[in-house]
Amino acid sequence: MLQSHVVMLEDPAHLEGAMCLEGVEVHQSTEMFRNIFLTQVQQQLEDLDRELKTHLSKSERCLMLHRDKMSSYMQQAETFFSSEDAGDSEGAARGQQEKDWQEPLHEGHGLSLKDILDSDSEDSQQGDLEGADSPAAGGYWREELVFANKIQELEMAVEERVTAIRPPGDIDEEAEDTRFGDLPAELVVRIFSYLTLQELCESAAPVCRAWYRHAHDPLLWQELDLDFNHDVRAVDLCAMIRGAPLLKVLVMRGRNELTITEVSVFVKYCGMLQQLDMGFCKVLDLTMLHIIVDSCPQLELVNVEGCDSIRDSCLTVLSRLPKLTVLNLSHCTSVTDDGVCHLVRHCPGLTSLNIDGIAWITDNAVQDIAACCPSMRQLYLDGDELTDVSITAVTDSCAQLELLDISFCEGVTDHSVQSIPKLQHLKHLRLKRGMQLSSAVMLHLFRGEALAGLTYLNLTECTAVNNGVVERISKCCAELRELYLCWCWDITEEGLEHIVNNLSKLHHLDLTGLDKISGACLTYVPSTLPHLTYLDLQQCNRVQDEVLSALVSAEPGLTIVDYYGNNVPDLPEQCRS
């Protein structure tokens, strides 16, 4: 019985037949019927997802449309049961559905609904699509036609938009300065390269026809960053990309109005795309990734951090990119060990992988990463479920590693951390919350010159860090640019003096939560730390505000954060000595 209700929404004949139902079914509770129906629709969605690979080999277009199909079912179901009068609801839904189906067929195609149904019947006999001889086949081809119409409409709008932004005919070709006009085109493009894309469009292009041509030179449009404007209309976005045939870098972070139609159109103009940043695009899903991967085979860097809909099946699609070397999956919380393992087994060329913020990644996945990607140079991990097994695997197999970033590594002990000096190319090391690490292993880490090349060190909440460890760090890691020692409570003023007197290349220093330092030695900062631009002293209750204000006055380019998290203001002029 449930299957017949699903079929109803795909075939008008079944809808008409449903109007004739009599007896107990007609009078049963509308709410109960609605719940049963929606449960069946959800089951269909899950079945489609499980059969994804099979359908992909036979019909890529069917794959791109199955999510839209399910969304359409849900909308129709809500409409079908929105009225208390079930009979009226069925009639309204049927009438609207037939109207929606027939409208795109009559606009620009000259086909009737009967023609499409007949065509569906012929196609089913040829076996072009599995299950095409079922009642669902007609619905599939109807939706495919609607989807094709949407793409065609957007493409036409893009072409109209591109034509509309051409320079007006009344702009004088000779309006430009003669001397500037005598410059070689290559030199003009080089000069224009110092302008932002917004300046090119708003300031340079309107000057004259020649400047318009230079401003739209494809060499100047190899990178497009839309992070500053998430509300760009689909037609404007596609028009911009349409005018950038050499586009290599595209940033679309946080674009939550993205549609499958929009993606299908703009990827046609991105054949040379190498880097794609779609971080925090909540609507990015498997279907869109299929379209992108199929159309942009040159992709080397993909960022999908914070995209909730990224799952293991999405990693299967991304693993088809032959040149993929950098992938950011940070906080893609639906990813599991299985997806990561499949990815690294099919992408041995990965050099940078970020899976931080995925708390259930275990040693199994990290072992596969180490074994399959020996050329890894940057690795970000969430250590919530990790043990010494992971650290040992990485230090034994990834000798070229330059960045190792592990958050929440409570399960990591001295046994594995003592092997980190094997990574002699390491420049960035983060061991956040290493609660089980001892002062002895910290001293061991910075005993020789193995970690002398570090420029970034973060030992936040590693409570074993004391003045002795800080002294060893200040002598071993003279190249440090950023140092984080937050909540390392055993550090006193003596440890701060080691930092101030020895780490002359520091730019960023975070000492949040060090309640035993007084800050008296900070008066030497202008001479001993000339490059320091940021100093965080939140929750450092013994540091006097007057000392910080005087330091800001002496170093105007230095930002200092006080106990309460506020930027320290400069001293009033009359208070300066």
Side-chain angles (χ1 to χ4, degrees), residues 392-407:
T392 302
V394 170
T395 55
D396 286 348
S397 302
C398 301
Q400 303 301 315
L401 206 62
E402 298 175 358
L403 180 152
L404 179 59
D405 192 301
I406 309 175
S407 60

Side-chain angles (χ1 to χ4, degrees), residues 486-518:
C486 310
W487 307 107
C488 297
W489 296 302
D490 289 340
I491 298 176
T492 67
E493 189 71 13
E494 178 187 345
L496 180 56
E497 288 176 359
H498 289 307
I499 295 173
V500 172
N501 293 331
N502 295 298
L503 298 177
S504 59
K505 297 184 179 181
L506 272 184
H507 290 241
H508 188 117
L509 178 59
D510 193 340
L511 304 175
T512 298
L514 303 194
D515 57 359
K516 295 183 177 66
I517 62 174
S518 64

Side-chain angles (χ1 to χ4, degrees), residues 286-298:
L286 180 64
T287 303
M288 294 181 186
L289 281 177
H290 266 294
I291 300 171
I292 292 169
V293 168
D294 290 342
S295 303
C296 305
Q298 303 299 318

